Amino acid sequence: IESPVNFRSPRKLVDFMNYLELCSRPIEAGSTIVGFNPMWRWYVDQAEMMDQTEQALTGLMDQGYALENIVILTYQGLANSRFFAGNAPKTLNGVALKRQDGYDAVGQVKYTDGRVLVETLYRFKGQAADAVILTEVDFEELDEKNRRKLFVALSRARLHVIYITSERARDVLDSKMEPL
């Protein structure tokens, strides 16, 4: 089933996704919520990516978002994400991160104790959160695969999204947004 109407995402986010031409045809905002303009940060290395992610979390907390309503989504898969590596941070800004920790006897996902969920965008597909921090966004071109991934990731937010890209992904997106 396909629908040209997105009922989950706020209007400003749908406008942004249309501006980037993430879908083959423009989508219509079906939500009555205006939402917030997406915020953009970028990084040059992994340490700066973590700093930017932590600053994004702090900013959302300062705006009053409940920790349980914030999700950190990594654009990378489990195997390539710094957030799922063996030395992944357990906290950001003193807040415990909740992430998958295997499966129980009946195959249900088990999670670590934490208040802010960290997840890959593919595993979070079909779900949503009030505020989404999309991090580890890295690509060399906005090809069809990256358009789809970016659409899925951005459309997880009900109100607010902060996306954190590598410099090279920033350059690709910046060239797309020059007329803005």
Side-chain angles (χ1 to χ4, degrees):
I1 295 176
E2 276 190 34
S3 173
V5 183
N6 178 316
F7 291 97
R8 176 189 358 226
S9 302
R11 292 180 175 279
K12 287 189 176 193
L13 190 52
V14 170
D15 290 345
F16 180 66
M17 291 185 285
N18 282 332
Y19 186 78
L20 289 177
E21 299 174 330
L22 298 182
C23 296
S24 59
R25 61 180 190 244
I27 55 175
E28 181 182 333
S31 174
T32 58
I33 297 170
V34 175
F36 302 92
N37 286 323
M39 295 181 66
W40 190 6
R41 299 171 178 262
W42 53 87
Y43 59 90
V44 295
D45 58 29
Q46 291 295 303
E48 190 173 7
M49 180 275 301
M50 291 304 259
D51 288 344
Q52 292 290 355
T53 304
E54 187 168 42
Q55 288 175 31
L57 177 60
T58 301
L60 291 171
M61 291 167 43
D62 289 348
Q63 291 177 43
Y65 286 96
L67 295 174
E68 293 77 12
N69 293 329
I70 300 171
V71 172
I72 298 172
L73 288 184
T74 174
Y75 197 78
Q76 303 299 315
L78 285 174
N80 298 316
S81 173
R82 171 73 173 87
F83 286 92
F84 291 96
N87 62 346
K90 295 190 183 327
T91 65
L92 282 180
N93 196 28
V95 176
L97 301 177
K98 177 181 178 178
R99 72 187 97 223
Q100 184 177 343
D101 190 27
Y103 298 90
D104 65 16
V106 294
Q108 297 293 316
V109 175
K110 294 187 322 185
Y111 290 94
T112 61
D113 290 331
R115 297 196 54 206
V116 173
L117 179 64
V118 177
E119 194 57 273
T120 68
L121 76 94
Y122 285 125
R123 292 194 333 187
F124 200 68
K125 191 173 180 181
Q127 300 179 63
D130 289 349
V132 171
I133 300 169
L134 174 60
T135 193
E136 295 185 302
V137 179
D138 184 32
F139 51 77
E140 293 181 23
E141 64 177 311
L142 193 54
D143 57 13
E144 188 61 26
K145 177 183 177 187
N146 285 310
R147 277 180 166 61
R148 287 180 182 179
K149 282 179 71 173
L150 205 49
F151 175 81
V152 167
L154 293 173
S155 65
R156 301 303 95 199
R158 285 190 213 103
L159 293 172
H160 199 133
V161 67
I162 300 171
Y163 62 108
I164 303 166
T165 69
S166 66
E167 281 190 316
R168 68 182 178 173
R170 177 205 61 195
D171 292 345
V172 170
L173 292 171
D174 196 40
S175 69
K176 186 92 175 131
M177 293 189 280
E178 281 180 358
L180 273 181

